[in-house]
Amino acid sequence: MPRTLSQKVEDTIHFCRGRREMTLGDFLDGAGPTASGFLTFLFSIPFVLCAWIPIANSVFGFIILVSGLRIALNKPIWVPKFLRRKHISGDKMAHRLVKMVRCLRRFEKIVHPRGTIYQQSPFLQSFNGFILSLCGFFLFLPLHPMTNFLPGVAVLLLSIGILEEDLWVMIAAYAILIIRIIFLFLPAPVPIP
């Protein structure tokens, strides 16, 4: 039976509740595979909003690239050791996640598990990771801000598709990336004399 993102977040809430103190590493391990999807989702938002912060955008693109490779290789999210050891309150995190679940349930009227028979395929998981890392590569390059919009939208949609196990949203992300690649190979317009 396919599980929505709100149900997966509820599992994380149960994991966090009752723990006054836990490390960030414990939280990420408890969140499981959804942690990488959340990370790529969060770091795609500045690109979709066309926020241009030269160094930060390259860093965000690099993080998406690495996260995509981790998903492709079926490995957990990578976080530096000093951050994994950082202490957080499990109860406070659970309280924040409860608010998130309310928003997700409204959102899931539109985006919800569809085509989950394909989601179980290891090939599709690796393919999605590769696509995320390709988009991360485009976002990492210090190009004009508007060139980052389409790969940013592709990462946002693909992250949502991975998190919600929605194949149709993933297909929309692939289509947007194909459009971006087509624009990459189109010749520059010749100025009219």
Side-chain angles (χ1 to χ4, degrees):
M1 175 92 180
R3 303 184 75 236
T4 62
L5 180 57
S6 59
Q7 291 170 330
K8 294 173 192 172
V9 173
E10 282 173 345
D11 290 345
T12 307
I13 291 168
H14 292 305
F15 175 78
C16 293
R17 195 167 274 154
R19 295 172 183 242
R20 274 190 278 177
E21 197 170 276
M22 61 193 292
T23 64
L24 183 61
D26 292 336
F27 172 73
L28 293 173
D29 294 341
T34 56
S36 292
F38 271 126
L39 192 70
T40 54
F41 173 80
L42 289 174
F43 285 110
S44 68
I45 292 170
F47 299 106
V48 174
L49 298 176
C50 295
W52 180 245
I53 313 158
I55 296 170
N57 281 12
S58 292
V59 171
F60 294 167
F62 182 74
I63 291 169
I64 291 168
L65 191 154
V66 171
S67 297
L69 289 174
R70 301 290 289 182
I71 291 170
L73 298 171
N74 197 20
K75 295 197 172 186
I77 187 171
W78 179 83
V79 177
K81 284 184 182 178
F82 75 93
L83 282 177
R84 284 187 70 85
R85 289 194 293 262
K86 184 173 171 39
H87 287 275
I88 57 174
S89 167
D91 284 327
K92 285 182 182 175
M93 186 61 73
H95 181 68
R96 290 183 188 126
L97 290 173
V98 166
K99 293 177 182 175
M100 182 184 206
V101 167
R102 289 183 199 133
C103 296
L104 285 172
R105 284 190 181 139
R106 290 189 196 123
F107 178 71
E108 284 167 353
K109 291 175 183 173
I110 303 165
V111 179
H112 49 84
R114 286 180 282 201
T116 49
I117 190 166
Y118 299 104
Q119 280 289 65
Q120 308 307 320
S121 163
F123 170 77
L124 185 62
Q125 181 180 345
S126 297
F127 181 72
N128 284 338
F130 170 73
I131 295 296
L132 280 173
S133 57
L134 180 63
C135 290
F137 175 73
F138 282 132
L139 297 171
F140 173 72
L141 298 174
L143 301 173
H144 188 272
M146 289 311 292
T147 59
N148 289 336
F149 177 72
L150 287 177
V153 172
V155 171
L156 184 82
L157 288 176
L158 193 52
S159 300
I160 291 169
I162 290 169
L163 290 168
E164 282 288 358
E165 297 187 26
D166 192 334
L167 188 65
W168 294 109
V169 177
M170 290 181 200
I171 290 169
Y174 304 151
I176 288 171
L177 182 62
I178 289 167
I179 291 167
R180 173 63 183 100
I181 291 170
I182 289 169
F183 279 133
L184 189 68
F185 293 105
L186 283 178
V190 179
I192 298 170

